[in-house]
């Protein structure tokens, strides 16, 4: 798996990440969601440079112009609910993309005993597509691996890009184990130090879902 870490190059992505982390700034819920969306837009733009394009002609009011346009069929798949604002940023760039959603959540516990649950999947046909699996947080990697397996029920994409705002080394290692080949790329805006005993990213930024949409109640089936 190829890993592209955007924080290694100075850009506005680092500014947006700094505001996401800041305990005072992040209390502005609208700004928190918008910063996730901004990071996604920047990441999507860089990712777009790696895709396939084909020559076409467009008719202007004064003539015909040769252009190059995206030829990949892009699908953006998102893990609910923290991924919603991040998802919107990718759709801002890939405005004709199809979209898929999976609900994956983990039971709280120690880092050594994390249980991942899936209870919802809505996806278009993925066979032969360029699939962007987006989730702002990559902690243990368990949710993303489980989400990917769920999405494969809709077909096998030709290319897979995994896109995250923040990642822990343990999560990256989990994905490298799950995707050992060079045909998968992980895009990340920042890589932090480690996971704590509760599998939270340190220093991290907190719970992206709660900061985006408010605290949630836990309901047992």
């Amino acid at each position: 798996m190829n890993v592209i870490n955007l924080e290694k190059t100075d850009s506005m992505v680092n500014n947006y990440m700094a505001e996401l982390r800041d305990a005072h700034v992040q209390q502005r819920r609208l700004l928190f969601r918008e910063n996730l969306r901004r990071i996604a837009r920047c990441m999507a733009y860089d990712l777009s440079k790696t895709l396939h394009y084909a020559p076409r002609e467009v008719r202007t009011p004064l003539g015909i112009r040769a252009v190059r346009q995206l030829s990949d069929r892009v699908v953006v798949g998102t893990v609910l609910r923290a991924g919603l604002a991040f998802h919107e940023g990718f759709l801002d760039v890939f405005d004709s993309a199809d979209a898929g959603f999976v609900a994956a959540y983990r039971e709280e516990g120690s880092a050594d005993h994390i249980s991942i649950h899936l209870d919802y999947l809505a996806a278009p046909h993925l066979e032969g597509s360029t699939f962007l699996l987006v989730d702002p947080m990559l902690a243990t990697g368990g949710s993303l691996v489980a989400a990917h397996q769920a999405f494969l029920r809709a077909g096998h994409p030709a290319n897979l890009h995994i896109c995250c705002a923040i990642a822990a080394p343990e999560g990256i290692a989990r994905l490298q184990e799950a995707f050992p080949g060079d045909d998968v790329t992980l895009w990340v805006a920042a890589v932090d130090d480690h996971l704590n005993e509760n599998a939270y990213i340190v220093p991290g930024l907190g719970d992206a879902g709660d900061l985006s949409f408010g605290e949630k109640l836990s309901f047992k089936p």
Side-chain angles (χ1 to χ4, degrees), residues 152-185:
L152 289 182
R153 292 165 56 187
H156 288 73
N159 301 286
L160 174 62
H161 297 268
I162 301 172
C163 306
C164 304
I166 186 170
E170 295 90 335
I172 294 175
R174 175 74 180 276
L175 293 188
Q176 287 173 326
E177 180 182 348
F179 305 104
D182 292 333
D183 56 341
V184 176
T185 301

PDB file of all heavy atoms in Angstrom, residues 152-185:
ATOM      1  N   LEU A 152     -17.479  -4.519  -0.907  1.00  0.00           N
ATOM      2  CA  LEU A 152     -17.174  -5.482  -1.968  1.00  0.00           C
ATOM      3  C   LEU A 152     -18.394  -6.294  -2.375  1.00  0.00           C
ATOM      4  O   LEU A 152     -18.389  -6.925  -3.429  1.00  0.00           O
ATOM      5  CB  LEU A 152     -16.046  -6.418  -1.527  1.00  0.00           C
ATOM      6  CG  LEU A 152     -14.648  -5.801  -1.420  1.00  0.00           C
ATOM      7  CD1 LEU A 152     -13.632  -6.856  -1.029  1.00  0.00           C
ATOM      8  CD2 LEU A 152     -14.235  -5.129  -2.737  1.00  0.00           C
ATOM      9  N   ARG A 153     -19.439  -6.281  -1.567  1.00  0.00           N
ATOM     10  CA  ARG A 153     -20.686  -6.949  -1.959  1.00  0.00           C
ATOM     11  C   ARG A 153     -21.284  -6.285  -3.192  1.00  0.00           C
ATOM     12  O   ARG A 153     -22.089  -6.887  -3.902  1.00  0.00           O
ATOM     13  CB  ARG A 153     -21.675  -6.900  -0.804  1.00  0.00           C
ATOM     14  CG  ARG A 153     -21.262  -7.740   0.402  1.00  0.00           C
ATOM     15  CD  ARG A 153     -22.062  -7.404   1.651  1.00  0.00           C
ATOM     16  NE  ARG A 153     -23.497  -7.533   1.447  1.00  0.00           N
ATOM     17  CZ  ARG A 153     -24.406  -7.172   2.344  1.00  0.00           C
ATOM     18  NH1 ARG A 153     -24.019  -6.641   3.503  1.00  0.00           N
ATOM     19  NH2 ARG A 153     -25.686  -7.325   2.092  1.00  0.00           N
ATOM     20  N   ALA A 154     -20.890  -5.033  -3.476  1.00  0.00           N
ATOM     21  CA  ALA A 154     -21.399  -4.300  -4.638  1.00  0.00           C
ATOM     22  C   ALA A 154     -20.461  -4.408  -5.834  1.00  0.00           C
ATOM     23  O   ALA A 154     -20.686  -3.756  -6.853  1.00  0.00           O
ATOM     24  CB  ALA A 154     -21.608  -2.823  -4.272  1.00  0.00           C
ATOM     25  N   GLY A 155     -19.407  -5.212  -5.738  1.00  0.00           N
ATOM     26  CA  GLY A 155     -18.480  -5.382  -6.848  1.00  0.00           C
ATOM     27  C   GLY A 155     -17.070  -4.981  -6.466  1.00  0.00           C
ATOM     28  O   GLY A 155     -16.841  -4.330  -5.436  1.00  0.00           O
ATOM     29  N   HIS A 156     -16.121  -5.369  -7.305  1.00  0.00           N
ATOM     30  CA  HIS A 156     -14.713  -5.092  -7.043  1.00  0.00           C
ATOM     31  C   HIS A 156     -14.237  -3.918  -7.890  1.00  0.00           C
ATOM     32  O   HIS A 156     -14.251  -3.973  -9.117  1.00  0.00           O
ATOM     33  CB  HIS A 156     -13.862  -6.326  -7.332  1.00  0.00           C
ATOM     34  CG  HIS A 156     -14.033  -7.420  -6.330  1.00  0.00           C
ATOM     35  ND1 HIS A 156     -15.166  -8.196  -6.265  1.00  0.00           N
ATOM     36  CD2 HIS A 156     -13.209  -7.843  -5.319  1.00  0.00           C
ATOM     37  CE1 HIS A 156     -15.038  -9.079  -5.283  1.00  0.00           C
ATOM     38  NE2 HIS A 156     -13.876  -8.872  -4.687  1.00  0.00           N
ATOM     39  N   PRO A 157     -13.817  -2.823  -7.248  1.00  0.00           N
ATOM     40  CA  PRO A 157     -13.335  -1.665  -8.000  1.00  0.00           C
ATOM     41  C   PRO A 157     -12.007  -1.944  -8.681  1.00  0.00           C
ATOM     42  O   PRO A 157     -11.252  -2.830  -8.252  1.00  0.00           O
ATOM     43  CB  PRO A 157     -13.191  -0.577  -6.934  1.00  0.00           C
ATOM     44  CG  PRO A 157     -13.015  -1.324  -5.651  1.00  0.00           C
ATOM     45  CD  PRO A 157     -13.802  -2.592  -5.791  1.00  0.00           C
ATOM     46  N   ALA A 158     -11.709  -1.172  -9.720  1.00  0.00           N
ATOM     47  CA  ALA A 158     -10.430  -1.302 -10.408  1.00  0.00           C
ATOM     48  C   ALA A 158      -9.312  -0.653  -9.606  1.00  0.00           C
ATOM     49  O   ALA A 158      -8.157  -1.100  -9.659  1.00  0.00           O
ATOM     50  CB  ALA A 158     -10.524  -0.667 -11.792  1.00  0.00           C
ATOM     51  N   ASN A 159      -9.639   0.423  -8.886  1.00  0.00           N
ATOM     52  CA  ASN A 159      -8.650   1.149  -8.098  1.00  0.00           C
ATOM     53  C   ASN A 159      -9.262   1.533  -6.756  1.00  0.00           C
ATOM     54  O   ASN A 159     -10.442   1.890  -6.685  1.00  0.00           O
ATOM     55  CB  ASN A 159      -8.196   2.428  -8.820  1.00  0.00           C
ATOM     56  CG  ASN A 159      -7.596   2.145 -10.175  1.00  0.00           C
ATOM     57  OD1 ASN A 159      -6.479   1.660 -10.285  1.00  0.00           O
ATOM     58  ND2 ASN A 159      -8.352   2.433 -11.232  1.00  0.00           N
ATOM     59  N   LEU A 160      -8.450   1.472  -5.703  1.00  0.00           N
ATOM     60  CA  LEU A 160      -8.922   1.813  -4.364  1.00  0.00           C
ATOM     61  C   LEU A 160      -8.031   2.892  -3.769  1.00  0.00           C
ATOM     62  O   LEU A 160      -6.806   2.758  -3.714  1.00  0.00           O
ATOM     63  CB  LEU A 160      -8.903   0.577  -3.463  1.00  0.00           C
ATOM     64  CG  LEU A 160      -9.237   0.807  -1.982  1.00  0.00           C
ATOM     65  CD1 LEU A 160     -10.649   1.353  -1.817  1.00  0.00           C
ATOM     66  CD2 LEU A 160      -9.053  -0.486  -1.179  1.00  0.00           C
ATOM     67  N   HIS A 161      -8.663   3.985  -3.319  1.00  0.00           N
ATOM     68  CA  HIS A 161      -7.991   5.046  -2.581  1.00  0.00           C
ATOM     69  C   HIS A 161      -8.683   5.168  -1.227  1.00  0.00           C
ATOM     70  O   HIS A 161      -9.904   5.355  -1.171  1.00  0.00           O
ATOM     71  CB  HIS A 161      -8.069   6.376  -3.332  1.00  0.00           C
ATOM     72  CG  HIS A 161      -7.379   6.380  -4.654  1.00  0.00           C
ATOM     73  ND1 HIS A 161      -6.070   6.771  -4.814  1.00  0.00           N
ATOM     74  CD2 HIS A 161      -7.824   6.012  -5.891  1.00  0.00           C
ATOM     75  CE1 HIS A 161      -5.737   6.670  -6.088  1.00  0.00           C
ATOM     76  NE2 HIS A 161      -6.782   6.208  -6.761  1.00  0.00           N
ATOM     77  N   ILE A 162      -7.919   5.072  -0.150  1.00  0.00           N
ATOM     78  CA  ILE A 162      -8.440   5.247   1.195  1.00  0.00           C
ATOM     79  C   ILE A 162      -8.020   6.635   1.670  1.00  0.00           C
ATOM     80  O   ILE A 162      -6.838   6.980   1.606  1.00  0.00           O
ATOM     81  CB  ILE A 162      -7.921   4.152   2.141  1.00  0.00           C
ATOM     82  CG1 ILE A 162      -8.330   2.770   1.613  1.00  0.00           C
ATOM     83  CG2 ILE A 162      -8.447   4.362   3.558  1.00  0.00           C
ATOM     84  CD1 ILE A 162      -7.709   1.612   2.381  1.00  0.00           C
ATOM     85  N   CYS A 163      -8.981   7.423   2.121  1.00  0.00           N
ATOM     86  CA  CYS A 163      -8.721   8.835   2.412  1.00  0.00           C
ATOM     87  C   CYS A 163      -9.119   9.157   3.844  1.00  0.00           C
ATOM     88  O   CYS A 163     -10.274   8.938   4.236  1.00  0.00           O
ATOM     89  CB  CYS A 163      -9.505   9.730   1.444  1.00  0.00           C
ATOM     90  SG  CYS A 163      -9.208   9.350  -0.298  1.00  0.00           S
ATOM     91  N   CYS A 164      -8.174   9.693   4.630  1.00  0.00           N
ATOM     92  CA  CYS A 164      -8.406  10.005   6.033  1.00  0.00           C
ATOM     93  C   CYS A 164      -7.798  11.368   6.357  1.00  0.00           C
ATOM     94  O   CYS A 164      -6.801  11.772   5.763  1.00  0.00           O
ATOM     95  CB  CYS A 164      -7.772   8.953   6.943  1.00  0.00           C
ATOM     96  SG  CYS A 164      -8.315   7.262   6.609  1.00  0.00           S
ATOM     97  N   ALA A 165      -8.391  12.040   7.341  1.00  0.00           N
ATOM     98  CA  ALA A 165      -7.823  13.302   7.798  1.00  0.00           C
ATOM     99  C   ALA A 165      -6.670  13.057   8.769  1.00  0.00           C
ATOM    100  O   ALA A 165      -5.639  13.727   8.702  1.00  0.00           O
ATOM    101  CB  ALA A 165      -8.900  14.167   8.444  1.00  0.00           C
ATOM    102  N   ILE A 166      -6.851  12.113   9.669  1.00  0.00           N
ATOM    103  CA  ILE A 166      -5.845  11.874  10.710  1.00  0.00           C
ATOM    104  C   ILE A 166      -5.717  10.375  10.940  1.00  0.00           C
ATOM    105  O   ILE A 166      -6.712   9.646  10.893  1.00  0.00           O
ATOM    106  CB  ILE A 166      -6.235  12.620  12.003  1.00  0.00           C
ATOM    107  CG1 ILE A 166      -5.148  12.521  13.063  1.00  0.00           C
ATOM    108  CG2 ILE A 166      -7.569  12.147  12.539  1.00  0.00           C
ATOM    109  CD1 ILE A 166      -5.400  13.442  14.251  1.00  0.00           C
ATOM    110  N   ALA A 167      -4.483   9.923  11.172  1.00  0.00           N
ATOM    111  CA  ALA A 167      -4.238   8.485  11.307  1.00  0.00           C
ATOM    112  C   ALA A 167      -3.242   8.218  12.427  1.00  0.00           C
ATOM    113  O   ALA A 167      -2.394   9.055  12.753  1.00  0.00           O
ATOM    114  CB  ALA A 167      -3.709   7.907  10.001  1.00  0.00           C
ATOM    115  N   ALA A 168      -3.347   7.042  13.019  1.00  0.00           N
ATOM    116  CA  ALA A 168      -2.362   6.533  13.963  1.00  0.00           C
ATOM    117  C   ALA A 168      -1.486   5.508  13.247  1.00  0.00           C
ATOM    118  O   ALA A 168      -1.951   4.824  12.325  1.00  0.00           O
ATOM    119  CB  ALA A 168      -3.052   5.881  15.162  1.00  0.00           C
ATOM    120  N   PRO A 169      -0.220   5.380  13.649  1.00  0.00           N
ATOM    121  CA  PRO A 169       0.648   4.388  13.017  1.00  0.00           C
ATOM    122  C   PRO A 169       0.075   2.973  13.085  1.00  0.00           C
ATOM    123  O   PRO A 169       0.253   2.191  12.141  1.00  0.00           O
ATOM    124  CB  PRO A 169       1.954   4.506  13.816  1.00  0.00           C
ATOM    125  CG  PRO A 169       1.937   5.882  14.383  1.00  0.00           C
ATOM    126  CD  PRO A 169       0.496   6.185  14.667  1.00  0.00           C
ATOM    127  N   GLU A 170      -0.614   2.640  14.165  1.00  0.00           N
ATOM    128  CA  GLU A 170      -1.190   1.305  14.299  1.00  0.00           C
ATOM    129  C   GLU A 170      -2.250   1.051  13.230  1.00  0.00           C
ATOM    130  O   GLU A 170      -2.359  -0.062  12.691  1.00  0.00           O
ATOM    131  CB  GLU A 170      -1.818   1.126  15.686  1.00  0.00           C
ATOM    132  CG  GLU A 170      -0.812   1.161  16.824  1.00  0.00           C
ATOM    133  CD  GLU A 170      -0.593   2.570  17.376  1.00  0.00           C
ATOM    134  OE1 GLU A 170      -0.821   3.558  16.653  1.00  0.00           O
ATOM    135  OE2 GLU A 170      -0.177   2.671  18.550  1.00  0.00           O
ATOM    136  N   GLY A 171      -3.055   2.070  12.913  1.00  0.00           N
ATOM    137  CA  GLY A 171      -4.059   1.925  11.869  1.00  0.00           C
ATOM    138  C   GLY A 171      -3.443   1.779  10.495  1.00  0.00           C
ATOM    139  O   GLY A 171      -3.917   0.985   9.670  1.00  0.00           O
ATOM    140  N   ILE A 172      -2.389   2.545  10.241  1.00  0.00           N
ATOM    141  CA  ILE A 172      -1.697   2.427   8.952  1.00  0.00           C
ATOM    142  C   ILE A 172      -1.115   1.027   8.805  1.00  0.00           C
ATOM    143  O   ILE A 172      -1.217   0.408   7.737  1.00  0.00           O
ATOM    144  CB  ILE A 172      -0.601   3.503   8.845  1.00  0.00           C
ATOM    145  CG1 ILE A 172      -1.235   4.897   8.789  1.00  0.00           C
ATOM    146  CG2 ILE A 172       0.263   3.269   7.607  1.00  0.00           C
ATOM    147  CD1 ILE A 172      -0.226   6.031   8.798  1.00  0.00           C
ATOM    148  N   ALA A 173      -0.517   0.511   9.879  1.00  0.00           N
ATOM    149  CA  ALA A 173       0.049  -0.842   9.819  1.00  0.00           C
ATOM    150  C   ALA A 173      -1.038  -1.882   9.544  1.00  0.00           C
ATOM    151  O   ALA A 173      -0.811  -2.841   8.790  1.00  0.00           O
ATOM    152  CB  ALA A 173       0.768  -1.161  11.131  1.00  0.00           C
ATOM    153  N   ARG A 174      -2.217  -1.684  10.144  1.00  0.00           N
ATOM    154  CA  ARG A 174      -3.335  -2.620   9.904  1.00  0.00           C
ATOM    155  C   ARG A 174      -3.746  -2.601   8.439  1.00  0.00           C
ATOM    156  O   ARG A 174      -4.005  -3.654   7.831  1.00  0.00           O
ATOM    157  CB  ARG A 174      -4.507  -2.238  10.798  1.00  0.00           C
ATOM    158  CG  ARG A 174      -5.791  -3.063  10.571  1.00  0.00           C
ATOM    159  CD  ARG A 174      -5.674  -4.456  11.123  1.00  0.00           C
ATOM    160  NE  ARG A 174      -6.886  -5.228  10.908  1.00  0.00           N
ATOM    161  CZ  ARG A 174      -7.958  -5.194  11.713  1.00  0.00           C
ATOM    162  NH1 ARG A 174      -7.962  -4.415  12.784  1.00  0.00           N
ATOM    163  NH2 ARG A 174      -9.007  -5.935  11.441  1.00  0.00           N
ATOM    164  N   LEU A 175      -3.816  -1.417   7.842  1.00  0.00           N
ATOM    165  CA  LEU A 175      -4.182  -1.329   6.425  1.00  0.00           C
ATOM    166  C   LEU A 175      -3.089  -1.902   5.527  1.00  0.00           C
ATOM    167  O   LEU A 175      -3.392  -2.541   4.513  1.00  0.00           O
ATOM    168  CB  LEU A 175      -4.463   0.127   6.044  1.00  0.00           C
ATOM    169  CG  LEU A 175      -5.680   0.791   6.678  1.00  0.00           C
ATOM    170  CD1 LEU A 175      -5.918   2.159   6.053  1.00  0.00           C
ATOM    171  CD2 LEU A 175      -6.930  -0.071   6.541  1.00  0.00           C
ATOM    172  N   GLN A 176      -1.838  -1.689   5.885  1.00  0.00           N
ATOM    173  CA  GLN A 176      -0.744  -2.253   5.086  1.00  0.00           C
ATOM    174  C   GLN A 176      -0.779  -3.774   5.117  1.00  0.00           C
ATOM    175  O   GLN A 176      -0.438  -4.430   4.133  1.00  0.00           O
ATOM    176  CB  GLN A 176       0.597  -1.733   5.601  1.00  0.00           C
ATOM    177  CG  GLN A 176       0.852  -0.272   5.261  1.00  0.00           C
ATOM    178  CD  GLN A 176       2.090   0.288   5.912  1.00  0.00           C
ATOM    179  OE1 GLN A 176       2.439  -0.085   7.041  1.00  0.00           O
ATOM    180  NE2 GLN A 176       2.766   1.196   5.231  1.00  0.00           N
ATOM    181  N   GLU A 177      -1.205  -4.328   6.227  1.00  0.00           N
ATOM    182  CA  GLU A 177      -1.362  -5.780   6.321  1.00  0.00           C
ATOM    183  C   GLU A 177      -2.539  -6.253   5.477  1.00  0.00           C
ATOM    184  O   GLU A 177      -2.466  -7.293   4.812  1.00  0.00           O
ATOM    185  CB  GLU A 177      -1.564  -6.180   7.779  1.00  0.00           C
ATOM    186  CG  GLU A 177      -1.749  -7.671   7.989  1.00  0.00           C
ATOM    187  CD  GLU A 177      -1.984  -8.016   9.456  1.00  0.00           C
ATOM    188  OE1 GLU A 177      -1.784  -7.148  10.316  1.00  0.00           O
ATOM    189  OE2 GLU A 177      -2.381  -9.172   9.727  1.00  0.00           O
ATOM    190  N   ALA A 178      -3.638  -5.479   5.490  1.00  0.00           N
ATOM    191  CA  ALA A 178      -4.837  -5.864   4.740  1.00  0.00           C
ATOM    192  C   ALA A 178      -4.673  -5.634   3.241  1.00  0.00           C
ATOM    193  O   ALA A 178      -5.279  -6.337   2.432  1.00  0.00           O
ATOM    194  CB  ALA A 178      -6.045  -5.082   5.256  1.00  0.00           C
ATOM    195  N   PHE A 179      -3.858  -4.620   2.865  1.00  0.00           N
ATOM    196  CA  PHE A 179      -3.672  -4.260   1.455  1.00  0.00           C
ATOM    197  C   PHE A 179      -2.174  -4.216   1.153  1.00  0.00           C
ATOM    198  O   PHE A 179      -1.574  -3.134   1.046  1.00  0.00           O
ATOM    199  CB  PHE A 179      -4.301  -2.902   1.161  1.00  0.00           C
ATOM    200  CG  PHE A 179      -5.758  -2.807   1.531  1.00  0.00           C
ATOM    201  CD1 PHE A 179      -6.156  -2.129   2.674  1.00  0.00           C
ATOM    202  CD2 PHE A 179      -6.736  -3.398   0.746  1.00  0.00           C
ATOM    203  CE1 PHE A 179      -7.493  -2.029   3.025  1.00  0.00           C
ATOM    204  CE2 PHE A 179      -8.075  -3.316   1.088  1.00  0.00           C
ATOM    205  CZ  PHE A 179      -8.454  -2.629   2.227  1.00  0.00           C
ATOM    206  N   PRO A 180      -1.530  -5.367   1.007  1.00  0.00           N
ATOM    207  CA  PRO A 180      -0.070  -5.398   0.859  1.00  0.00           C
ATOM    208  C   PRO A 180       0.442  -4.956  -0.510  1.00  0.00           C
ATOM    209  O   PRO A 180       1.628  -4.657  -0.654  1.00  0.00           O
ATOM    210  CB  PRO A 180       0.267  -6.876   1.107  1.00  0.00           C
ATOM    211  CG  PRO A 180      -0.984  -7.611   0.696  1.00  0.00           C
ATOM    212  CD  PRO A 180      -2.119  -6.715   1.072  1.00  0.00           C
ATOM    213  N   GLY A 181      -0.414  -4.892  -1.525  1.00  0.00           N
ATOM    214  CA  GLY A 181       0.039  -4.566  -2.868  1.00  0.00           C
ATOM    215  C   GLY A 181       0.181  -3.073  -3.117  1.00  0.00           C
ATOM    216  O   GLY A 181      -0.181  -2.232  -2.290  1.00  0.00           O
ATOM    217  N   ASP A 182       0.710  -2.731  -4.287  1.00  0.00           N
ATOM    218  CA  ASP A 182       0.898  -1.329  -4.675  1.00  0.00           C
ATOM    219  C   ASP A 182      -0.328  -0.750  -5.376  1.00  0.00           C
ATOM    220  O   ASP A 182      -0.273   0.374  -5.876  1.00  0.00           O
ATOM    221  CB  ASP A 182       2.108  -1.200  -5.608  1.00  0.00           C
ATOM    222  CG  ASP A 182       3.420  -1.484  -4.892  1.00  0.00           C
ATOM    223  OD1 ASP A 182       3.465  -1.271  -3.656  1.00  0.00           O
ATOM    224  OD2 ASP A 182       4.377  -1.920  -5.548  1.00  0.00           O
ATOM    225  N   ASP A 183      -1.425  -1.495  -5.424  1.00  0.00           N
ATOM    226  CA  ASP A 183      -2.610  -1.036  -6.144  1.00  0.00           C
ATOM    227  C   ASP A 183      -3.584  -0.280  -5.239  1.00  0.00           C
ATOM    228  O   ASP A 183      -4.674   0.089  -5.668  1.00  0.00           O
ATOM    229  CB  ASP A 183      -3.329  -2.218  -6.796  1.00  0.00           C
ATOM    230  CG  ASP A 183      -3.695  -3.308  -5.796  1.00  0.00           C
ATOM    231  OD1 ASP A 183      -3.105  -3.341  -4.697  1.00  0.00           O
ATOM    232  OD2 ASP A 183      -4.559  -4.138  -6.122  1.00  0.00           O
ATOM    233  N   VAL A 184      -3.204  -0.042  -3.998  1.00  0.00           N
ATOM    234  CA  VAL A 184      -4.039   0.697  -3.044  1.00  0.00           C
ATOM    235  C   VAL A 184      -3.225   1.872  -2.510  1.00  0.00           C
ATOM    236  O   VAL A 184      -2.036   1.723  -2.201  1.00  0.00           O
ATOM    237  CB  VAL A 184      -4.499  -0.192  -1.876  1.00  0.00           C
ATOM    238  CG1 VAL A 184      -5.276   0.615  -0.847  1.00  0.00           C
ATOM    239  CG2 VAL A 184      -5.342  -1.353  -2.400  1.00  0.00           C
ATOM    240  N   THR A 185      -3.857   3.043  -2.413  1.00  0.00           N
ATOM    241  CA  THR A 185      -3.185   4.230  -1.899  1.00  0.00           C
ATOM    242  C   THR A 185      -3.942   4.775  -0.706  1.00  0.00           C
ATOM    243  O   THR A 185      -5.164   4.924  -0.750  1.00  0.00           O
ATOM    244  CB  THR A 185      -3.075   5.320  -2.980  1.00  0.00           C
ATOM    245  OG1 THR A 185      -2.349   4.810  -4.100  1.00  0.00           O
ATOM    246  CG2 THR A 185      -2.351   6.553  -2.435  1.00  0.00           C
TER     247      THR A 185
END
